[in-house]
Amino acid sequence: MRSSSYSVMPARALRAVLVLALTAAAAPAAHADTAPAPALAAKPYMGWSSWSMQSSKYPGLNPDGDYSYLTEENVLKQTDAMAARLKKYGYEYVNIDAGWWRDTTWKPEFDEYGRQKADPARFPGGMKTVADRIHAKGLKAGIYLPAGLEKEAYGAGKVPVRNAEGCTTADIVYGDLRTTNGWDSSYKLDFSRPCSQKYIDSQAQLIADWGYDFLKLDGVGPGSGKSGDQYDNVADVAAWNKAIAATGRTIHLELSWSLDIGHAADWKKYSNGWRIDTDVECYCNTLVSWENSVDDRWDDAPAWTRHAGPGGWNDLDSLDVGNGEMDGLTKAERQSYATLWAIAKSPLYTGDDLTRLDSYGLSLLTNREVIAVNQGETPPARPVTPSDPQQVWAARNPDGTYTVALFNLADAPAAVTADWSTLGFTGKAAVRDLWNHENLGTYRNKVTQALPAHGSRLFTVTSYGSALTTTAHEAESPANTLGGNASLADCSACSGGKKVGNLYAGGKLRFNDVVVGKAGTYWIKVAYVSGDARSVDVSANTGGALRHRFPSTGDWGTVGTVSVPVTLKAGSNTVTFDSGTGYAPDLDRIDVPKSS
């Protein structure tokens, strides 16, 4: 993972693209003859962000030094390109990232009240002019700020706070000048002192007066690689929420970066979006690379799935799939990248150069069926099989269909199967390929696809079959056998109020007398609890074990499910979950289909 050091040099300084969506006060009531304005963040936002190109060493992007790409001229070029090529598909936010108040040596500009001020070389027209130009294209303007009072704005504690008589920068921070945010580039604001809220109020009013519709607040903790009281910025986020509401302008506040899931309730209460992971950019000679760190999202997204919904979304970071060679990915990787972002209901904001999208990239960014998965009422998908190299993600849609994605995350081609029993039904189902706009026909019990390395498919599945019937086996049943350290524990979220935990260093749970009517491979649904991703060996009878990695459920009080294939004989069987030499998830129950 990468470390960041915002105040020393831009490369480390601005590694975090976290988008925190803070909501403003409700819009005035609409007239009786007009439709009400849509709620803020009713669906994931779509747009463009400057950071991917700013941070890349791709030849020609930053000719005047690191991070020099960010200029008024370049932002407006991207604005024009978005308006012409992507606006009709729902892309609307043009987001200016870090550095707009700093020159190419990273020296900052501040106004007389300690607020960030546009660097005159980068943005000669000023930030209001840029917002006005963006709005003139029918788009929305986004801006960026780090959490806390930037050190350079402190001015020996003598800088006055606007519209706050008697308040100076000495009155808004802790007396020991403790630092905060992901790079320790700011002094921590002390919100027990009324002047601190006044300072945030003045920053919010400034960006509202300029006409900005979106704020990315970066370096927010807990998270962003830091822990401890001085890096807890929940009070800052609450202050921004209050300040934005007081401006009377609707402003989407997005939090960045790699937020602590233990504070998900705070991020949901005070904002409209939160980054869940480190930067997707590779800080190399392309925009991203598969290993650093596009592929991390398949492991990290599942824990957050239940927290996403209208008003606030899990942010997977920039979607850089439009520029071909500059993206640094294969075509298969670009499609998988876009597929995960769509089904996870992440905001769809690209960091690509919109003036030179290749035809394949444009087709990925403008596929209306895939965009509809992201923007419609489809809930976020999550894995229905373990987080193995071949995996299936799915969501049941309000109309009764299923969104189903197949992923081969291995470095070689492999087949991936979506068995209908993992979706909760058996029999026939129609399959539509969303990327290719093609009806593939009717499949019985499953669909299998051969996928290239890092490849994917995305389907809508319409069931014509019947609901799956299963037999439940509780982990705490006295009929089971515990081995090693395994033991019973209370679990309020578990189906029987109990679970089996301490499955580590040889701890195991054996379900006895698992009866099925005929021999075959059964997809057994496993209910489990795991605050992090953990692996377990699964075997039946005396057969060999297969090791599966279960994704995190988010914490140690939340139950998740995945289905694992197990070969059973007709009649009575044993099914064993063995931690091996590592740590396995806690187990709640298994549900065994009544027929294969």
Side-chain angles (χ1 to χ4, degrees), residues 2-6 8-17 50-57 61-71 74 97-106 119 122-123 183 279 281-284:
R2 303 184 291 273
S3 62
S4 299
S5 177
Y6 172 100
V8 178
M9 63 185 296
R12 302 183 193 131
L14 296 168
R15 311 241 331 196
V17 176
S50 66
W51 184 248
S52 292
M53 284 193 284
Q54 287 178 246
S55 67
S56 178
K57 297 185 183 300
L61 277 184
N62 289 280
D64 299 320
D66 287 348
Y67 304 91
S68 61
Y69 174 84
L70 183 61
T71 65
N74 284 334
D97 211 272
W100 58 267
W101 69 99
R102 293 178 179 268
D103 67 15
T104 55
T105 70
W106 223 240
D119 176 70
R122 289 185 189 265
F123 290 89
W183 318 277
D279 294 4
E281 291 84 7
C282 63
Y283 299 89
C284 63

Side-chain angles (χ1 to χ4, degrees), residues 129-420:
T129 295
V130 175
D132 289 346
R133 292 281 298 277
I134 292 170
H135 291 151
K137 293 289 184 177
L139 301 171
K140 295 180 179 179
I143 201 165
Y144 168 109
L145 288 171
L149 172 71
E150 288 202 274
K151 292 176 180 177
E152 301 99 325
Y154 182 63
K158 298 178 180 179
V159 179
V161 176
R162 181 172 170 77
N163 289 338
E165 185 176 354
C167 291
T168 69
T169 48
D171 301 311
I172 68 176
V173 298
Y174 285 87
D176 59 4
L177 295 183
R178 67 192 67 173
T179 56
T180 196
N181 78 32
W183 318 277
D184 288 294
S185 67
S186 295
Y187 295 129
K188 183 172 176 60
L189 298 171
D190 180 358
F191 288 98
S192 71
R193 311 176 77 178
C195 293
S196 298
Q197 180 68 55
K198 294 290 187 181
Y199 176 69
I200 298 297
D201 291 346
S202 72
Q203 285 187 299
Q205 191 62 57
L206 182 64
I207 63 173
D209 290 345
W210 286 343
Y212 282 85
D213 310 290
F214 180 104
L215 172 64
K216 173 184 170 180
L217 188 67
D218 205 359
V220 174
S224 298
K226 299 291 181 68
S227 60
D229 289 346
Q230 78 187 79
Y231 302 108
D232 186 333
N233 300 123
V234 171
D236 299 67
V237 178
W240 271 103
N241 180 289
K242 181 178 179 180
I244 287 174
T247 69
R249 183 174 183 84
T250 299
I251 299 175
H252 178 116
L253 178 56
E254 189 94 355
L255 296 179
S256 182
W257 50 288
S258 198
L259 273 289
D260 181 352
I261 196 171
H263 284 269
D266 294 316
W267 315 139
K268 292 164 71 172
K269 180 177 181 180
Y270 296 121
S271 77
N272 294 111
W274 41 88
R275 276 267 306 282
I276 70 165
D277 221 322
T278 188
D279 294 4
V280 76
E281 291 84 7
C282 63
Y283 299 89
C284 63
N285 60 358
T286 57
L287 299 185
V288 297
S289 69
W290 182 255
E291 296 81 10
N292 190 14
S293 60
V294 172
D295 63 346
D296 290 346
R297 273 60 180 171
W298 276 267
D299 284 336
D300 298 336
W304 287 86
T305 301
R306 66 190 177 93
H307 296 300
W313 303 97
N314 299 323
D315 184 347
L316 298 184
D317 208 2
S318 297
L319 177 62
D320 298 339
V321 298
N323 286 148
E325 178 185 294
M326 191 168 82
D327 293 326
L329 302 169
T330 66
K331 281 189 173 182
E333 289 167 349
R334 292 161 73 187
Q335 179 175 297
S336 295
Y337 187 173
T339 299
L340 181 64
W341 264 237
I343 65 172
K345 308 284 281 192
S346 172
L348 300 182
Y349 59 99
T350 180
D352 287 309
D353 185 345
L354 304 183
T355 70
R356 50 177 178 174
L357 298 174
D358 66 16
S359 59
Y360 183 68
L362 186 63
S363 74
L364 292 176
L365 293 172
T366 61
N367 185 306
R368 291 191 185 276
E369 290 188 70
V370 177
I371 291 172
V373 169
N374 180 264
Q375 296 286 291
E377 295 183 0
T378 300
R382 61 167 291 112
V384 294
T385 64
S387 296
D388 299 335
Q390 290 77 44
Q391 53 188 257
V392 179
W393 292 51
R396 192 171 194 274
N397 303 322
D399 64 0
T401 65
Y402 298 83
T403 296
V404 179
L406 282 58
F407 295 108
N408 173 31
L409 303 183
D411 294 336
V416 180
T417 295
D419 193 284
W420 299 159

Side-chain angles (χ1 to χ4, degrees), residues 392-594:
V392 179
W393 292 51
R396 192 171 194 274
N397 303 322
D399 64 0
T401 65
Y402 298 83
T403 296
V404 179
L406 282 58
F407 295 108
N408 173 31
L409 303 183
D411 294 336
V416 180
T417 295
D419 193 284
W420 299 159
S421 63
T422 65
L423 306 179
F425 69 90
T426 62
K428 293 182 179 180
V431 177
R432 179 168 177 79
D433 183 328
L434 300 187
W435 282 117
N436 294 309
H437 307 297
E438 181 182 6
N439 291 323
L440 301 185
T442 301
Y443 290 75
R444 183 172 184 83
N445 292 332
K446 63 185 178 181
V447 62
T448 299
Q449 297 286 293
L451 300 181
H454 307 162
S456 61
R457 300 294 293 272
L458 179 60
F459 301 137
T460 295
V461 174
T462 303
S463 170
Y464 300 123
S466 55
L468 183 71
T469 57
T470 61
T471 301
H473 298 263
E474 293 288 350
E476 68 272 17
S477 169
N480 297 335
T481 303
L482 305 184
N485 299 297
S487 61
L488 296 182
D490 291 333
C491 174
S492 61
C494 294
S495 58
K498 299 280 187 181
K499 64 180 180 180
V500 171
N502 288 325
L503 291 166
Y504 68 93
K508 63 180 68 177
L509 166 62
R510 188 176 73 208
F511 291 88
N512 297 311
D513 201 24
V514 175
V515 178
V516 294
K518 62 180 180 178
T521 297
Y522 290 75
W523 285 85
I524 294 177
K525 181 179 286 187
V526 183
Y528 68 99
V529 180
S530 193
D532 49 28
R534 294 189 172 188
S535 297
V536 64
D537 294 322
V538 183
S539 62
N541 304 313
T542 58
L546 291 177
R547 193 160 185 81
H548 298 287
R549 190 164 186 264
F550 287 17
S552 170
T553 61
D555 54 51
W556 290 98
T558 298
V559 176
T561 62
V562 292
S563 295
V564 298
V566 180
T567 300
L568 303 177
K569 64 183 181 180
S572 180
N573 298 263
T574 62
V575 178
T576 302
F577 293 79
D578 189 337
S579 65
T581 59
Y583 287 79
D586 296 347
L587 298 176
D588 172 16
R589 63 185 274 172
I590 61 173
D591 290 284
V592 182
K594 290 189 175 179

